[in-house]
Amino acid sequence: SSGISIRGVSKVYGQGERATTALAPIDLDIEPGEFVAIVGPSGCGKSTLLRLITGLVPRTGGELTVFGKSVTAPVTDIGIVFQQPILLEWRNVLENVLFQIDMRGLDRARYLPKAMELLKAVGLEDFADRRPYELSGGMRQRASIARGLVHEPPLLMMDEPFGALDALTREQMRIDLERLWMETRKTVVFITHSIDEAVLLADRVVVMSPRPGRIETIMTIDIPRP
Ligand code: ADP
Ligand code: ADP
């Protein structure tokens, strides 16, 4: 199963006087193929939740399974897109996408067609041999989405992916992400400050309250899709 099961998962950073509860125990299930948006004010624990799911940061308590396995180390089958894409400036765009493959010790030749297909899907086919500094903010984020998907993870996690973009670019990115999702039907967890974006993109919107860690699904939106 490519789903996520979260049971009483919590996170405290630091110890003693310096301890910060970033996430009080929460429960949440994400079904395979679901596009879930997580919204909530800054500091409510959205990024922490994403880091716990990916195994980048260890949880303090609770049961967390991804693809049916308890998370105890970084989960390699996840694509991650952050707000500020870190691209390697000395590698061209295609090489940046393939970095994901190199890092995992996978066979480049096998993933090259996939990399090109994804660059096309995000509108960067003509920029494969350009360096990141030649790209606009939106294009950099497109490259990072292609990079996040190239190893064909069943799950894509996005943390404020369009947060640093201007409104017009953001709108276009939303439309493109929706099209990409329709083509791939990956499980997507999408963190955003924008309730509009959440409602327009997601099958389900999870709202995290300002009280640390109190999470409630306040609405389930069924969007008719072809
Ligand atoms: P956002 O609201 O956009 O998620 P934040 O300002 O909460 O961003 O956090 C930005 C980065 O700073 C995160 O990577 C987070 O781990 C780190 N960070 C936030 N608060 C603290 C803190 N109190 N101590 C150490 N690092 C922190
Ligand atoms: P959000 O993504 O919703 O803005 P975060 O998960 O970044 O929230 O942060 C939740 C809380 O945990 C905040 O109070 C933040 O300051 C704190 N925090 C985040 N990262 C760290 C960290 N590395 N060390 C200490 N506190 C942190």
Side-chain angles (χ1 to χ4, degrees), residues 11-58:
K11 179 65 187 178
V12 178
Y13 289 105
Q15 291 186 334
E17 283 178 19
R18 314 204 59 167
T20 309
T21 300
L23 201 63
I26 65 157
D27 295 327
L28 181 66
D29 284 298
I30 295 171
E31 303 300 328
E34 205 178 13
F35 193 132
V36 173
I38 298 179
V39 299
S42 189
C44 73
K46 303 182 295 297
S47 297
T48 296
L49 180 60
L50 178 139
R51 286 187 213 123
L52 298 183
I53 292 171
T54 57
L56 293 173
V57 160

Side-chain angles (χ1 to χ4, degrees), residues 12 76 187 199:
V12 178
T76 54
T187 310
V199 169

